[in-house]
């Protein structure tokens, strides 16, 4: 079935179609174009998408949205970025899907993936979700534009690094359920009022709620009441999740296993015992948020619990790899996609529970502003508490942590991921547990790729 026809695209964007065509997908990166896709020629700071129109059609594009005529089937518009927004809005307007929006300083991508899997576990249910971390001013409209008209549920991730960004995104998504996973000092350099400012920016997600909408809020967060105040004018219902007494969705009992947790949770009107197929207390929290959203959407809680046990490992976000080392293997925990103080502490806690010698390869955390030195140094206690035997610190910004660990742990500070790769290759031994975590810009994913080349 076609996702968009030329006529529908022209109607949504106010553009003019050069010919009839039907598209089965949408992309603005010509490298992602497949047969039958619609290519949106977006403007850019370094390149203009119109430079890649011929290449997109060479890969099988059915049509394009352009702001200048091309010798291929297209819809001509004044502004292709505005046209993508309009296409996303039109997709949402025609959809009968129950929609969830997810944001938070930590865990939003994992929670989005887990929620989509939980909803899709019910047979014959069609679930659409945003892919990768398409959560910004271009990723969200693209994800909306890709939503099939017959979807039963849709899950969209929304991110930000400045106030006002989520407000615009949530009014496009118009969620029936809006989830905030947690509040932490990610991007704090852009928020003079600190965590309260971040909470206010995340709380913008509630502004787009549909009239019968539900706000899902972390009960244990120090910013809980601030989030509740943000949700109150927009939400018909507010549901809290967490470990503390008084949470609407609460983990009454948690048993940590190797690579997973067994949880007994109470929800309004029901109690569930289930397994979370990811390690760490932060994943227990994510799972509670998922169950709160599933119940609010009116979906099957039993099927959702089964899906939580079978969650796929996410590259860069907790994937666990057994890699060949000499005559044995070592465990690698891949957290290379991103980092802030809260997620660092959560994953160090996971490392603490692993047997064997513990190696922490930690990359610098970005966008922490004036608090960067203190926040990096503040991780020293967590490194020591996790029983880390060797800390390999990577990148400028890690100097304060290296100094704070002096005399407390064996530590080496290196300039970049390539140097860290060479250092780790000579250090790792059979039976080791290795955590690799840092901001994406540090490039620790290359180190993970090097290790994966010898996956057992």
């Amino acid at each position: 079935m076609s996702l968009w026809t030329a006529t529908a695209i022209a109607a949504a964007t106010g553009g003019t179609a050069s010919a009839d065509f039907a598209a089965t997908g949408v992309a603005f990166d010509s490298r992602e174009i497949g047969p039958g896709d619609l290519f949106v020629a977006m403007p850019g700071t370094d390149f203009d998408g119109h430079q890649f129109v011929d290449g997109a059609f060479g890969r099988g594009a059915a049509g394009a949205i352009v702001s200048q005529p091309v010798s291929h089937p297209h819809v001509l518009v004044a502004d292709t970025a505005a046209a993508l927004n309009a296409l996303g809005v039109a997709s949402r307007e025609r959809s009968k899907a129950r929609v969830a929006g997810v944001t938070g300083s930590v865990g939003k991508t994992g929670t989005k993936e887990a929620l989509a899997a939980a909803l899709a576990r019910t047979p014959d249910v069609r679930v659409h979700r945003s892919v990768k971390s398409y959560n910004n001013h271009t990723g969200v409209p693209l994800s909306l534009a890709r939503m099939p008209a017959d979807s039963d549920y849709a899950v969209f991730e929304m991110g930000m690094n400045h106030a006002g960004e989520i407000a615009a995104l949530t009014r496009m998504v118009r969620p029936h359920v809006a989830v905030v996973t947690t509040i932490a000092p990610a991007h704090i350099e852009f928020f003079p009022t600190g965590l309260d400012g971040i909470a206010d920016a995340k709380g913008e997600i509630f502004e787009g709620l549909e009239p019968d909408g539900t706000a899902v809020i972390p009960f244990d967060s120090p910013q809980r009441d601030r989030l509740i105040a943000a949700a109150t004018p927009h939400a018909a219902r507010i549901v809290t999740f967490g470990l503390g007494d008084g949470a609407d969705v609460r983990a009454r009992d948690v048993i940590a296993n190797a690579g997973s947790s067994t949880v007994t949770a109470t929800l309004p009107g029901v109690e569930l015992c289930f397994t979370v197929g990811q390690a760490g207390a932060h994943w227990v929290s994510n799972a509670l948020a998922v169950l709160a959203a599933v119940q609010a959407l009116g979906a099957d809680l039993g099927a959702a619990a089964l899906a939580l046990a079978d969650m796929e490992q996410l590259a860069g976000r907790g994937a666990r790899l057994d890699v060949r080392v000499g005559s044995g293997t070592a465990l690698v925990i891949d957290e290379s996609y991103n980092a802030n103080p809260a997620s660092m502490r959560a994953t160090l806690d996971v490392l603490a529970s692993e047997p064997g010698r513990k190696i922490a390869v930690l990359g610098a955390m970005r966008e922490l502003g004036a608090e960067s030195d203190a926040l990096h140094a503040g991780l020293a206690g967590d490194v020591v508490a996790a029983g880390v035997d060797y800390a390999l610190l990577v990148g400028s910004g890690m100097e304060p942590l290296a100094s704070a660990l002096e005399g407390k742990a064996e530590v080496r500070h290196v300039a970049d991921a390539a140097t860290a790769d060479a250092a780790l290759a000579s250090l790792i031994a059979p039976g080791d547990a290795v955590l690799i975590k840092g901001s994406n810009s540090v490039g620790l994913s290359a180190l993970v790729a090097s290790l994966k080349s010898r996956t057992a």
Side-chain angles (χ1 to χ4, degrees):
M1 293 179 60
S2 65
L3 182 65
W4 291 102
T5 64
T7 301
I9 295 166
T13 63
T16 303
S18 70
D20 290 332
F21 62 84
T24 54
V26 185
F28 53 60
D29 185 336
S30 63
R31 296 166 296 184
E32 294 183 357
I33 289 290
D37 283 348
L38 172 70
F39 175 58
V40 185
M42 295 281 281
T45 54
D46 297 320
F47 300 99
D48 189 311
H50 293 82
Q51 298 173 248
F52 305 101
V53 169
D54 289 342
F57 279 91
R59 292 179 176 86
I65 295 178
V66 295
S67 59
Q68 57 195 52
V70 296
S71 57
H72 302 282
H74 63 270
V75 174
L76 184 64
V77 300
D79 181 330
T80 55
L84 178 60
N85 282 355
L87 200 64
V89 169
S91 178
R92 179 66 182 89
E93 287 178 348
R94 74 183 182 182
S95 176
K96 300 293 194 294
R98 295 281 290 171
V99 176
V102 180
T103 193
S105 301
V106 183
K108 55 184 176 291
T109 299
T111 301
K112 176 258 297 181
E113 291 290 328
L115 177 54
L119 295 168
R121 189 61 176 253
T122 301
D124 301 320
V125 167
R126 297 172 295 275
V127 179
H128 174 72
R129 76 189 195 286
S130 52
V131 299
K132 301 180 182 177
S133 289
Y134 282 0
N135 61 21
N136 63 6
H137 66 287
T138 55
V140 169
L142 176 66
S143 297
L144 281 165
R146 289 173 165 177
M147 178 169 56
D150 63 351
S151 298
D152 296 303
Y153 296 99
V155 186
F156 297 98
E157 178 181 340
M158 288 172 259
M160 63 87 202
N161 56 21
H162 288 83
E165 292 177 336
I166 289 179
L169 299 177
T170 190
R171 289 188 171 94
M172 297 177 68
V173 172
R174 290 167 38 211
H176 297 93
V177 175
V179 179
V180 176
T181 59
T182 191
I183 302 299
H187 315 297
I188 198 167
E189 73 170 295
F190 304 120
F191 292 91
T193 56
L195 290 177
D196 285 347
I198 292 173
D200 292 343
K202 297 296 185 184
E204 293 170 11
I205 195 172
F206 305 128
E207 297 175 14
L209 276 169
E210 290 288 83
D212 65 340
T214 301
V216 178
I217 289 172
F219 180 84
D220 302 316
S221 171
Q223 285 74 39
R224 176 192 65 206
D225 293 342
R226 199 173 189 93
L227 290 169
I228 289 173
T232 298
H234 309 286
R237 289 168 299 280
I238 296 174
V239 177
T240 59
F241 67 93
L243 302 178
D245 288 339
D248 299 310
V249 178
R250 184 173 72 88
R252 183 170 58 79
D253 187 49
V254 179
I255 300 173
N257 310 307
S260 66
S261 297
T262 302
V263 182
T264 301
T266 59
L267 294 84
V270 67
E271 181 170 287
L272 284 176
C273 184
F274 61 96
T275 298
V276 182
Q278 303 273 3
H282 59 300
W283 262 107
V284 173
S285 180
N286 292 347
L288 295 173
V290 166
L291 293 176
V294 166
Q295 188 175 54
L297 289 166
D300 189 329
L301 281 170
L306 293 174
L308 289 169
D310 295 336
M311 281 188 299
E312 293 185 2
Q313 302 287 333
L314 298 177
R317 295 183 172 89
R320 299 165 73 88
L321 313 169
D322 289 321
V323 301
R324 181 70 60 188
V325 180
S327 59
T329 62
L331 170 67
V332 173
I333 303 170
D334 175 16
E335 284 276 358
S336 60
Y337 185 79
N338 214 340
N340 60 51
S343 64
M344 280 284 197
R345 291 188 172 93
T347 50
L348 282 166
D349 188 53
V350 171
L351 180 64
S353 67
E354 299 296 338
R357 186 175 64 150
K358 298 171 179 57
I359 301 172
V361 184
L362 305 179
M365 302 177 289
R366 306 302 192 200
E367 297 184 352
L368 298 181
E371 297 185 46
S372 180
D373 286 357
L375 290 171
H376 279 88
L379 293 174
D382 301 279
V383 171
V384 172
V388 171
D389 296 287
Y390 194 101
L392 182 57
L393 309 181
V394 187
S396 61
M398 273 296 180
E399 295 91 343
L401 179 55
S403 297
L405 285 172
E406 189 172 346
K408 299 177 182 177
E410 189 171 358
V411 60
R412 180 179 175 187
H413 180 217
V414 299
D416 52 40
T419 309
D421 190 7
L424 183 60
S426 63
L427 176 68
I428 192 170
D432 286 348
V434 184
L435 169 65
I436 301 176
K437 185 167 184 64
S439 288
N440 195 37
S441 60
V442 180
L444 295 184
S445 59
L447 193 156
V448 174
S450 175
L451 291 168
K452 284 177 74 171
S453 66
R454 43 179 173 169
T455 299

